[in-house]
Structure formats: C-alpha cells, structure tokens
Amino acid sequence: MAIFAVHYAYGPMKAQRRDEHRPQHREWLGEEFRAGNVLSCGPYPDGSGALIMIRAESLDGAEAFLANDPFIAHEAVDGVRVVEWTQVFGPFDS
C-alpha cells in the first residue's frame, strides 16, 4: 500500500461548519487510526488547514476513503490536495 499526504485547506467561511462536525471528524480519524488507515494527522497551528497521512492502494482509493470523512461529507473544507508520498526515513512501516 502507498502512503498519501492529504492537505485540507480551511477558510473562515466554513469555520462554523467545521466546529459543528469536528467531533464526528475526530471520531472517524480515531477509528481509522486504530484500523491502521490513518498514520498521523493534525491541524496547522495557523488555522489554515490540516495534514492527514493515510494508506491506500491508489489515488482513487485514497479519494474514496476520504469521502467517508465527515468534514468532506459535510463540505467543511475549502480545498483538498492528495499526493502520494515516499518515506525515506520515518516511523511508518512499509
């Protein structure tokens, strides 16, 4: 399986929607972390977005996986960028 870096972009217009759905979003992230699909995640300190590192078979698989995130389902993010990432050194098992 490949590793993908998922960058969420946040803007002020959807802040209330994110606040409303954050508990479900974090519950989903926790479940997927325990299942081994989410490797690491967290928001950027400046509030501009978040980074989620995930495992998936392909880009299409990563995008299908993210469709289950309540933030995506409820259109609480302003932009999503998904890119395959190659770990050279680090904590994630290959």
Side-chain angles (χ1 to χ4, degrees):
M1 271 210 215
I3 297 175
F4 291 86
V6 180
H7 302 271
Y8 282 179
Y10 298 160
M13 298 296 289
K14 295 185 179 180
Q16 183 176 359
R17 192 175 302 176
R18 282 189 301 281
D19 290 344
E20 178 182 345
H21 296 288
R22 185 168 288 109
Q24 297 90 353
H25 167 70
R26 292 220 172 141
E27 181 179 336
W28 177 79
L29 287 169
E31 289 171 2
E32 295 299 341
F33 176 78
R34 289 185 291 280
N37 299 317
V38 169
L39 302 173
S40 185
C41 61
Y44 300 126
D46 67 0
S48 67
L51 173 67
I52 307 171
M53 301 297 291
I54 66 171
R55 283 194 194 282
E57 290 291 334
S58 64
L59 178 58
D60 288 341
E63 291 171 344
F65 172 76
L66 293 169
N68 296 308
D69 180 353
F71 269 16
I72 298 298
H74 295 283
E75 299 178 355
V77 299
D78 293 290
V80 179
R81 180 172 180 243
V82 182
V83 293
E84 188 170 349
W85 179 74
T86 302
Q87 174 178 260
V88 175
F89 298 105
F92 308 127
D93 296 330
S94 353

